[in-house]
Amino acid sequence: MTELSSTTASTPSAVPARRRRQGLVSYLARRSPLALLLVSLFLFAALFGPLLAPHSMTDTDLSQANLAPNAGYWLGTDALGRDVLSRLLGSAGVAAQAMLIVVAIGGVLGAGLGLVAGGLGGITDLVVSRVTEILQGFPTILIAIVIVALLSPSLTNAMIAVGLAAVPDFARIARSVAIQLRDREFIQAARGLGLSEIRILLTETLPNMIGPLIIIASFDGAQAIMWEAALSFLGLGVQPPAPSFGSMLRDAQNYLNINPWLAITVGVVVSAIILGLNLLGDALSDFYEMSER
Amino acid sequence: MSAAPLVRIQHLTKHFNVPGSWLARGKGKVHAVDDVSFEIFEGETLGLVGESGCGKSTLARCVVRLVEPDGGAVLFDGEDITHRSMRSLRPLRRRLQLIFQDPYASLNPRHRVSRILSAALQLRGSGGQRGEAMNELLRRVGLAHYFAESLPRELSGGQRQRVGIARALAPEPRLIVADEPVSALDVSVRAGVLNLLRRLQRELRLTMLFISHDLGVIRHVSDRIGVMYLGKLVELADADVFYDQPLHPYSEALLSAIPVPDPEARATRRQIVLKGDVPSPIAPPSGCRFHPRCAFAQSICATQEPPLRQHLPGRLAACHFPRLPESRADAT
């Protein structure tokens, strides 16, 4: 056994060349400024909507009905003389709530189920996967109608239904990431240190699936806003006179030829929010892909 | 070096089912490790070499019981750990640690070095002094204390592997299994990590099972050398005699493949080029697994499997016609 001659054998004293990761926000600003703009506008409106609204969201004034956009009412008024801009600001808050409920229910349940299924494998995986597949087999709208019929029509109930329908999406992603990670050496190393499987799942596996979960959350969040609009349109979600994108669209359809502004403004706003969230999801998935390497 | 074996591997066997449709199940098995027996004594380093795919890593994972063997036994300090459950192994984990091959895969990318090491330090039990113990560990593996706050991605390959070594050392294990600890590293960094392992060996009187495909690397750290071929242990000998006079024709061929930097010495050396590829471990050859590629094979080699037995004092080989000094003289 001979000592190898080497310059690197001594203690490396130089400060390491740190590969600093680029910040998320600055990455998004460069990669997809439109997404950042649309989503931050949406969140701003959702948080501060009631403070920003120039008029009441629910007070009717028939003398001011069906106005086109003008100086007093920037986006016009609806058939009952309510200010469209104010109602849109209120709807943004409703949409944000819808998103939050769906992502919370779908994310927590779905990620938990997927983590356990993928991380433990075997019979657990089999049972959990079949259950989520069955859940996936029901159309979202059917689950929503059943839950709303059993309970009562309200935003929360409608969104609980949509959240349940989102569980399989999260579960599928969490499971596949957990399976990929299961045989990675750092998981084996944790096993070699005698950590319990549950602890490995929570401290080793879970932190490594946050990225993919956030991506799914942004897509399912967009879906949630669409479902909220659809269910409120059908009268199963937010109840009048409270504003929401869906109920505004339903009101608008009766006046399409008298006051097309109504449908146009609401449609454009909803489309812009969905577009923003989807672009954000794409940008996030690129960001995590990049930072994984 | 005391005489008590710390680890005793007896007829260890591990097969993997070949994935396929359920109709074809049970048709094929990869004989990753097949009836391997050896011992590791307290304080020594046993080097295990072989081509990739010969079952070295599977053997390593069986020894630290990350994988459950199909047959045979692993005795650690006299205790049979072959089939113990993951849970009941926990108290033993402290004594058995593994250094992984790929330092890019073996550290959790989301955990700082301090967190990685403190998870390992926990095995020592008693809290207190953990910060101090961590600094001590980092110093031991040649890293400055501020690396504790680094994320793996901020470290170079060599630095990561030092963290991997620190993690293995943290619980003060009695046996360290090093699974190709330097083969994923740049050549320039390799020497540094190898010297670190050697220094630790001396300072901490470690018992090590050191696995590599590189005979040059293994020479620097091992007291004894084992050679594996297709899941079998074909030779086991003291390091100093092994490099001069391997007994098994396969070992001889492996040794002759080490590049010699001196052109004159190269001219005088006989190089043995093995013909053909390593046969499939799904259907290993009959008799001696090496016989289709062996220059000295005779009819018996195809029918009878040679047992691993002692041909010269302290030198075991599984061969019907070992390359003993007298036979070597005949051949040349």
Side-chain angles (χ1 to χ4, degrees), chain A residues 1-21 181 183-197 199-200 202-212 288 291-293, chain B residues 61 66 86 90 93 96-97 100-102 104-111 115-116 119-120 122-123 142-144 146-147 149-150 153-155 159-160 162 167 171 188-189 191-192 194-195 198-199 201-202 219-223:
Chain A
M1 299 207 277
T2 48
E3 190 78 29
L4 291 166
S5 62
S6 159
T7 49
T8 52
S10 58
T11 308
S13 52
V15 177
R18 289 188 173 224
R19 276 183 285 156
R20 267 271 152 251
R21 185 160 60 151
L181 291 173
D183 293 323
R184 287 280 292 278
E185 287 191 340
F186 68 85
I187 301 278
Q188 291 195 18
R191 232 169 252 148
L193 290 174
L195 303 188
S196 69
E197 288 297 318
R199 190 161 161 211
I200 289 174
L202 291 178
T203 66
E204 308 284 331
T205 314
L206 186 61
N208 283 291
M209 55 168 65
I210 297 298
Y288 281 107
S291 67
E292 281 302 295
R293 301 294 120 224
Chain B
R61 279 165 169 66
L66 283 174
M86 284 292 163
R90 252 175 242 165
R93 288 292 180 203
L96 278 170
Q97 283 295 312
F100 289 86
Q101 172 172 8
D102 183 358
Y104 290 87
S106 66
L107 305 177
N108 189 331
R110 307 256 167 222
H111 288 178
R115 186 161 175 196
I116 292 169
Q122 262 178 14
L123 290 192
L143 291 174
Y146 53 75
F147 281 100
E149 289 315 306
S150 302
R153 80 167 79 84
E154 296 162 351
L155 305 178
Q159 289 166 342
R160 288 176 194 224
R162 285 167 196 266
R167 171 173 61 191
S188 56
V189 186
L194 271 182
N195 282 343
R198 286 209 45 210
R199 209 183 63 229
Q201 245 175 1
R202 250 176 302 152
R219 175 173 213 165
H220 287 285
V221 292
S222 306
D223 301 310

Side-chain angles (χ1 to χ4, degrees), chain B:
Chain B
M1 215 175 287
S2 66
L6 179 64
V7 179
R8 190 173 280 179
I9 311 278
Q10 293 169 338
H11 307 290
L12 192 75
T13 301
K14 178 73 196 174
H15 294 163
F16 290 107
N17 287 321
V18 179
S21 79
W22 58 274
L23 278 172
R25 198 181 295 172
K27 287 253 173 78
K29 272 183 180 165
V30 175
H31 300 249
V33 178
D34 210 349
D35 194 9
V36 168
S37 304
F38 61 87
E39 287 164 349
I40 307 172
F41 294 93
E42 190 104 51
E44 80 163 345
T45 295
L46 179 67
L48 209 54
V49 272
E51 286 166 273
S52 51
C54 73
K56 305 172 303 237
S57 288
T58 306
L59 182 64
R61 279 165 169 66
C62 285
V63 173
V64 296
R65 273 307 318 282
L66 283 174
V67 161
E68 185 172 353
D70 292 323
V74 180
L75 278 78
F76 180 74
D77 208 8
E79 199 172 344
D80 188 344
I81 61 168
T82 324
H83 298 293
R84 285 180 55 175
S85 71
M86 284 292 163
R87 185 184 292 271
S88 71
L89 277 169
R90 252 175 242 165
L92 263 173
R93 288 292 180 203
R94 215 193 135 175
R95 300 280 165 229
L96 278 170
Q97 283 295 312
L98 184 64
I99 298 173
F100 289 86
Q101 172 172 8
D102 183 358
Y104 290 87
S106 66
L107 305 177
N108 189 331
R110 307 256 167 222
H111 288 178
R112 293 186 187 282
V113 170
S114 56
R115 186 161 175 196
I116 292 169
L117 294 184
S118 63
L121 281 169
Q122 262 178 14
L123 290 192
R124 279 193 196 172
S126 66
Q129 310 304 315
R130 201 165 282 166
E132 226 163 85
M134 191 167 318
N135 286 340
E136 164 71 16
L137 267 179
L138 287 172
R139 196 191 55 71
R140 265 242 137 91
V141 297
L143 291 174
H145 59 91
Y146 53 75
F147 281 100
E149 289 315 306
S150 302
L151 282 166
R153 80 167 79 84
E154 296 162 351
L155 305 178
S156 71
Q159 289 166 342
R160 288 176 194 224
Q161 195 57 298
R162 285 167 196 266
V163 174
I165 292 169
R167 171 173 61 191
L169 290 176
E172 299 171 328
R174 291 182 66 188
L175 174 73
I176 287 190
V177 176
D179 183 12
E180 305 243 16
V182 296
S183 45
L185 302 179
D186 289 345
V187 178
S188 56
V189 186
R190 212 172 266 188
V193 173
L194 271 182
N195 282 343
L196 168 68
L197 284 170
R198 286 209 45 210
R199 209 183 63 229
L200 294 170
Q201 245 175 1
R202 250 176 302 152
E203 286 175 9
L204 305 173
R205 297 185 26 81
L206 293 176
T207 307
M208 256 207 294
L209 175 60
F210 189 102
I211 290 172
S212 178
H213 61 263
D214 187 336
L215 275 164
V217 162
I218 248 176
R219 175 173 213 165
H220 287 285
V221 292
S222 306
D223 301 310
R224 281 194 304 150
I225 311 269
V227 181
M228 277 186 82
Y229 183 76
L230 269 180
K232 288 274 183 194
L233 190 63
V234 295
E235 179 154 5
L236 190 61
D238 289 340
D240 29 357
V241 286
F242 175 80
Y243 280 88
D244 293 334
Q245 268 186 6
L247 289 182
H248 199 282
Y250 176 63
S251 317
E252 199 178 19
L254 276 185
L255 281 170
S256 85
I258 300 178
V260 178
D262 177 0
E264 276 174 33
R266 200 183 312 166
T268 62
R269 200 173 63 146
R270 203 161 55 94
Q271 189 151 13
I272 306 164
V273 180
L274 287 180
K275 43 188 199 268
D277 289 323
V278 182
S280 162
I282 298 174
S286 61
C288 171
R289 291 188 179 185
F290 186 59
H291 85 262
R293 301 172 77 192
C294 182
F296 311 99
Q298 299 186 19
S299 56
I300 183 178
C301 298
T303 53
Q304 264 187 47
E305 188 174 329
L308 186 68
R309 70 164 198 269
Q310 182 156 322
H311 291 281
L312 290 170
R315 298 164 68 182
L316 286 70
C319 183
H320 292 299
F321 307 101
R323 310 288 295 140
L324 299 171
E326 55 270 27
S327 66
R328 205 181 292 263
D330 298 345
T332 39

Side-chain angles (χ1 to χ4, degrees), chain A residues 100-290:
Chain A
L100 211 66
I101 297 172
V102 168
V103 169
I105 293 178
V108 171
L109 285 181
L113 286 172
L115 183 65
V116 169
L120 299 182
I123 189 86
T124 323
D125 185 20
L126 197 74
V127 172
V128 173
S129 296
R130 291 303 89 78
V131 168
T132 54
E133 272 163 26
I134 289 168
L135 195 56
Q136 203 168 19
F138 289 106
T140 306
I141 195 86
L142 190 69
I143 303 182
I145 290 172
V146 168
I147 288 192
V148 168
L150 285 177
L151 305 168
S152 64
S154 77
L155 175 71
T156 315
N157 290 342
M159 289 306 111
I160 288 174
V162 177
L164 286 177
V167 166
D169 284 352
F170 285 94
R172 212 172 41 226
I173 295 296
R175 173 175 175 270
S176 76
V177 176
I179 287 176
Q180 277 172 32
L181 291 173
R182 190 163 59 191
D183 293 323
R184 287 280 292 278
E185 287 191 340
F186 68 85
I187 301 278
Q188 291 195 18
R191 232 169 252 148
L193 290 174
L195 303 188
S196 69
E197 288 297 318
I198 297 298
R199 190 161 161 211
I200 289 174
L201 287 182
L202 291 178
T203 66
E204 308 284 331
T205 314
L206 186 61
N208 283 291
M209 55 168 65
I210 297 298
L213 287 179
I214 287 177
I215 294 160
I216 291 298
S218 73
F219 287 121
D220 274 23
Q223 285 284 314
I225 291 172
M226 297 221 281
W227 279 115
E228 184 276 318
L231 291 169
S232 296
F233 186 88
L234 296 173
L236 297 171
V238 175
Q239 297 302 299
S244 93
F245 292 133
S247 57
M248 288 181 79
L249 280 170
R250 183 182 50 190
D251 295 345
Q253 68 167 339
N254 297 325
Y255 301 93
L256 265 183
N257 43 4
I258 308 171
N259 186 3
W261 285 108
L262 262 180
I264 293 171
T265 46
V266 179
V268 166
V269 168
V270 174
S271 307
I273 294 173
I274 306 292
L275 177 70
L277 285 169
N278 280 325
L279 288 176
L280 182 73
D282 282 340
L284 283 174
S285 85
D286 287 352
F287 177 77
Y288 281 107
E289 205 166 289
M290 184 188 73

